Amino acid sequence: MSPTESRFSDRADLVVYFATTQYDGPAGTDRHLADQLSRYAPVLFVDPPISVLTLRNHPDLRRLADEPKLRVLRPRLARLIPWVVPGVTRPGLHRLVAPTMRRATRAAVARLAAPVRRGADTRLAAVVSTRIDDLWSAAPARRTLFYATDDVTAGADLLGMPRERLLRHEARTLRTAETVAAVSPPLVRRYTDAGYPAFLVPNGCDPAAYAEVDAVPPAAEVRLPGPVAGFVGHLNSRIDLALLEAVADAGHSLLLVGPRAPGYQPERFDALVGRRNVQWVGAKPFAALPGYLRVIDVGLTPYAQTAFNQASFPLKTLEYLAAGRAVVATPLPATNWLGTDLIQVAAEPAQFAAQVAAALSAPRPATLVARRREFAARHSWAVRARLIADLVDLPDPSPTEGEPPA
């Protein structure tokens, strides 16, 4: 690390952000918030831990083997990739995760933060964590915030981890965090009812990323005739495949954009994407999404009715609106909270397909597109980051910092 990079931050200004998703993976809550928080303070983004076994089981992550463990991405944002021993999700070995991450974070902070003069406050500005590991002592801070972006205990099966273990870790994190926030009304209620008053900080969107959707070239690989219903996101057990099948059964063009989880209903999924009116293009980088949304007329949020999903806040719904597209979604508390007639809601396959048909046949006047985008702009990541910054007492951003890069 160069001398310039070693003076990345004064210790008292630094925010450590422990994430549940990789920074350079599909752009989600962690990356968007860290980018926006870097306007308020220098941020060290700590990736989820990886091992050689992680890279073997997830080929899409093999690029991380060549990444430096610690790297300054830009003047106010650095990234740490913690490495752990293989098999840390197993009983016994799972106890190694937190201490390994704490050691790696302490070492990174020591390299990034300027030495503290005698008598000065040695604590960081804040530690923000979306993880339930015991990480607060990694870098003592003036403020600590646990931000729950999912109900991990309800998603134990999806995560492949014992629910009782997750409950214990979650309870410890709630007890030891100074402040608690959650992404959805059900999670806020669950934590508050358990004696841990929580603030609501919903997911957001990046309006600027989709402002020119109708001017960019359409994705060249899409071969479907319009109008097109489209899904953009992770294809896994959170998605109700019956709803997508119903849309395809009705004869509509259906575009699927996003990675598919290994083992996700392989026979049904392969049969769906094998239809002439369905196309799956796989995972795409965030910067490429406008080209795919250009060809989509109606965005789909087909979440299954599970306890895990009921506590979630899908990013894609607001992203579709930011692109000026119609939206058909399944009923979720997050959708109810948004409280807008710009989202059509249906739970059953036949009803869902009927709503999609109606949306595909409806005109898309400029006034309606503008209304959708204006609504999405009120729920931007900049707005959400302001909530987080207030919860951990970060100073207002300097006007010279500007917006973080897309």
Side-chain angles (χ1 to χ4, degrees):
M1 186 167 292
S2 71
T4 300
E5 290 171 333
S6 69
R7 294 192 294 272
F8 173 81
S9 170
D10 288 331
R11 192 178 184 93
D13 297 332
L14 184 63
V15 173
V16 171
Y17 189 110
F18 289 109
T20 56
T21 54
Q22 277 84 19
Y23 182 82
D24 63 355
T29 304
D30 290 324
R31 175 171 176 167
H32 285 300
L33 275 181
D35 282 346
Q36 290 292 335
L37 286 174
S38 70
R39 298 176 58 232
Y40 294 83
V43 174
L44 170 61
F45 184 100
V46 183
D47 271 32
I50 61 170
S51 70
V52 293
L53 189 60
T54 309
L55 304 188
R56 190 182 74 183
N57 294 337
H58 299 275
D60 58 309
L61 298 181
R62 288 176 185 167
R63 66 188 184 282
L64 298 179
D66 299 323
E67 288 276 332
K69 292 181 180 179
L70 179 63
R71 183 158 63 98
V72 174
L73 303 179
R74 58 177 188 267
R76 291 167 67 88
L77 182 68
R79 177 200 191 186
L80 171 67
I81 304 175
W83 284 77
V84 294
V85 298
V88 289
T89 58
R90 299 173 184 171
L93 286 178
H94 73 275
R95 294 186 175 87
L96 298 176
V97 172
T100 302
M101 290 188 69
R102 291 196 297 263
R103 284 195 298 271
T105 303
R106 289 190 196 106
V109 168
R111 293 184 67 184
L112 291 171
V116 179
R117 63 184 183 278
R118 185 182 299 275
D121 191 341
T122 61
R123 294 176 297 172
L124 307 183
V127 172
V128 177
S129 180
T130 60
R131 303 182 60 83
I132 59 172
D133 304 282
D134 181 15
L135 298 172
W136 305 125
S137 62
R142 296 192 296 277
R143 299 298 301 270
T144 59
L145 170 69
F146 169 55
Y147 176 37
T149 56
D150 275 308
D151 188 343
V152 294
T153 60
D157 292 340
L158 180 65
L159 299 171
M161 298 181 68
R163 186 169 184 270
E164 290 304 315
R165 182 200 301 174
L166 294 175
L167 283 169
R168 289 196 302 272
H169 287 191
E170 181 188 59
R172 180 186 57 218
T173 299
L174 290 168
R175 286 195 306 270
T176 53
E178 180 183 14
T179 308
V180 176
V183 77
S184 68
L187 263 181
V188 167
R189 285 194 298 272
R190 183 163 80 80
Y191 291 153
T192 301
D193 290 347
Y196 305 102
F199 296 88
L200 178 64
V201 181
N203 275 329
C205 66
D206 182 359
Y210 303 104
E212 302 300 324
V213 161
D214 293 317
V216 302
E221 68 182 303
V222 178
R223 54 168 173 74
L224 298 169
V228 175
F231 169 87
V232 180
H234 289 268
L235 291 151
N236 54 32
S237 59
R238 302 185 76 164
I239 304 306
D240 188 343
L241 201 57
L243 301 177
L244 297 177
E245 290 169 335
V247 173
D249 287 343
H252 305 303
S253 291
L254 176 62
L255 177 64
L256 307 177
V257 183
R260 170 193 173 187
Y264 172 56
Q265 303 194 45
E267 293 183 2
R268 286 180 66 185
F269 186 83
D270 289 346
L272 174 65
V273 300
R275 303 188 195 195
R276 295 184 62 182
N277 62 322
V278 180
Q279 185 177 1
W280 174 44
V281 296
K284 300 297 174 183
F286 183 71
L289 294 184
Y292 293 91
L293 284 162
R294 169 70 188 274
V295 303
I296 290 173
D297 298 281
V298 178
L300 309 179
T301 308
Y303 272 35
Q305 297 300 301
T306 64
F308 186 56
N309 283 346
Q310 288 292 304
S312 70
F313 199 108
L315 280 71
K316 57 185 63 62
T317 299
L318 286 170
E319 290 174 341
Y320 297 145
L321 292 173
R325 272 41 187 171
V327 181
V328 177
T330 45
L332 295 173
T335 305
N336 295 339
W337 180 84
L338 286 170
T340 176
D341 61 356
L342 297 171
I343 304 169
Q344 303 307 308
V345 176
E348 300 301 322
Q351 183 188 18
F352 194 88
Q355 291 280 18
V356 171
L360 287 172
S361 63
R364 193 166 73 204
T367 53
L368 180 57
V369 171
R371 184 168 164 244
R372 290 167 179 161
R373 286 178 165 155
E374 187 277 332
F375 179 84
R378 301 204 304 267
H379 298 276
S380 69
W381 286 115
V383 171
R384 304 306 192 230
R386 174 76 264 180
L387 296 174
I388 296 291
D390 286 345
L391 290 175
V392 294
D393 290 338
L394 296 181
D396 289 339
S398 167
T400 60
E401 292 303 331
E403 293 293 331

